[in-house]
Amino acid sequence: MTQRPSFHFHERCLWFSTGQSALVIPVGGWMQPPAAGGHADSPEPKRRLWSLMQVSGLAAAYDMQASPPAPRAALLRIHSEDYLSRFQALSAAGGGALHPTAPFGPDAWEIACLSAGQVLGAVTEVAEGRRTRAYAVSRPSGHHCLPEMPMGFCLLANVAVAVRAAQAAGLHRIAVLDWDVHHGNGTEACFYDDPSVLTVSIHQEGCFPPGQAGAVADTGRGAGVGYNLNIPLWPGAGHESYMAAMDHIVLPALWDFAPDLLIVVNGLDANAVDPLARMLLHSDSFRAMTRKVATLAEEVSGGRLVIVQEGGYAEAYVPFCAHAVLEELAGQRTAVEDPFLDLVRQQQPGPGFQAAQLDELRRHPRWRV
Ligand code: ZN
């Protein structure tokens, strides 16, 4: 087995188009077509990460692969034929939307299958024992997508599809830790009654989906009770809150579950300058969380760890956060320094907020000292 992790990325995923929108709102009515930019889910954060990896030399630490599209049979483990057919037909007609928060342009079906394919490729490398660590860049993302309905820029449930593929390959217990700033509602829904998959989401309370999604009380259904774990944090939470949530809630839960494979949904939109959320993380926060999950995977999962990049909309900053995660995953530092780090470290919440947020976290039923 090679110890070099694999990196799964397909250039065509950068060609995914959301159609004409401004931030998250389609143009029309009171929304003017933007002069520049457009939809928040631009390809630039991921394109700039790819570019930074070439310039920093970090690309050489990875076995670079462009994986093929996910086959329909793999998608059907999560999605219905009816949903796949409707999506494929609308894509072939030039695009549209099957949910107002998930518009898409031409070729979206082909590109979404490629995006799911990158995640499937990464998980397959690990599940079939060729290496223990892999990273996938997915675009469009997947963690909001439900079996029968797209949502929140997500058109196929990329990670959920890969979980079922890993199980088909012989890994039985899978944990999915989602630290994207938005609740991982799609992944939660896919496995809500399934005790073989532990789903954990740390997110900004009430951010997306708006309202009550991602509540602490949502712990699973039927045989799955106890296998879904939500950790909502207040808007404005920063580095220390995430470290406390990881150390006292997430890591003990993962340790108890002892998964055969740990998959991290590495949304980077809890960074301090993201346009779609209000959290205060920096690259060292993502680096520290990666170190924690890598250590845990070594201890309980035979080292098997797959990290999937999904959300993250600050074009200038996401690449530095992702680069820090990738350095940790490869066990290698480059000369790259995060030019935002000092600034964001000085923007952390004050002691009053911090103490109150910690008190709230200590009331979480899964808090462990
Ligand atoms: Zn997100």
Side-chain angles (χ1 to χ4, degrees), residues 143-144 180-182 269 311 313:
H143 75 146
H144 295 307
D180 187 287
V181 78
H182 307 108
D269 36 16
Y313 307 98

Side-chain angles (χ1 to χ4, degrees), residues 72-109:
R72 201 176 194 91
L75 302 178
L76 284 168
R77 292 193 182 106
I78 295 292
H79 298 288
S80 68
E81 178 57 44
D82 173 66
Y83 171 61
L84 298 182
S85 301
R86 283 187 292 127
F87 174 21
Q88 192 170 7
L90 193 55
S91 170
L98 295 168
H99 188 273
T101 62
F104 56 84
D107 300 333
W109 163 259

Side-chain angles (χ1 to χ4, degrees), residues 126-365:
V126 172
E128 295 183 352
R130 285 188 286 283
R131 65 192 83 240
T132 55
R133 295 181 177 184
Y135 191 96
V137 175
S138 80
R139 183 170 184 276
S141 301
H143 75 146
H144 295 307
C145 188
L146 302 167
E148 302 290 341
M149 189 174 80
M151 191 187 275
F153 321 161
C154 297
L155 297 166
L156 294 172
N158 305 330
V159 165
V161 166
V163 164
R164 287 300 186 220
Q167 290 183 319
L171 297 177
H172 300 295
R173 295 165 66 79
I174 317 284
V176 180
L177 166 59
D178 185 332
W179 64 48
D180 187 287
V181 78
H182 307 108
H183 176 231
N185 63 301
T187 317
E188 174 184 282
C190 290
F191 304 112
Y192 205 53
D193 54 6
D194 185 345
S196 72
V197 182
L198 174 68
T199 46
V200 182
S201 178
I202 311 178
H203 47 267
Q204 181 184 320
E205 187 168 40
C207 187
F208 191 89
Q212 295 306 305
V216 173
D218 298 341
T219 60
R221 180 178 55 228
V225 170
Y227 296 92
N228 184 67
L229 177 51
N230 283 324
I231 307 157
L233 296 174
W234 297 336
H239 181 86
E240 290 306 325
S241 298
Y242 274 79
M243 295 305 115
M246 288 291 292
D247 291 342
H248 295 284
I249 304 175
V250 175
L251 295 174
L254 291 173
W255 180 274
D256 287 351
F257 185 69
D260 299 319
L261 165 66
L262 173 59
I263 303 177
V264 174
V265 177
N266 177 32
L268 297 156
D269 36 16
N271 79 73
V273 294
D274 201 275
L276 298 189
R278 297 292 175 266
M279 297 309 225
L280 290 169
L281 295 192
H282 46 62
S283 61
D284 266 4
S285 315
F286 293 105
R287 185 187 300 282
M289 291 197 291
T290 305
R291 190 175 306 141
K292 289 174 193 295
V293 295
T295 301
L296 183 120
E298 294 297 334
E299 288 168 348
V300 303
S301 307
R304 287 182 287 272
L305 173 63
V306 174
I307 300 186
V308 178
Q309 185 174 339
E310 295 209 324
Y313 307 98
E315 292 182 12
Y317 198 31
V318 164
F320 291 101
C321 296
H323 198 269
V325 169
L326 283 155
E327 284 186 337
E328 268 318 304
L329 190 67
Q332 209 172 102
R333 286 298 283 258
T334 68
V336 170
E337 289 185 26
D338 172 1
F340 293 89
L341 187 55
D342 284 346
L343 175 70
V344 180
R345 277 188 174 140
Q346 294 175 59
Q347 295 175 331
Q348 295 302 300
F353 177 102
Q354 194 59 59
Q357 173 69 89
L358 275 177
D359 278 349
E360 179 73 12
L361 274 173
R362 282 192 198 94
R363 283 194 281 274
H364 195 291

Side-chain angles (χ1 to χ4, degrees), residues 17-28 31-35 37-39 103-105:
S17 158
T18 53
Q20 244 211 329
S21 302
L23 202 55
V24 296
I25 309 295
V27 301
M31 183 54 76
Q32 303 177 40
H39 195 279
F104 56 84

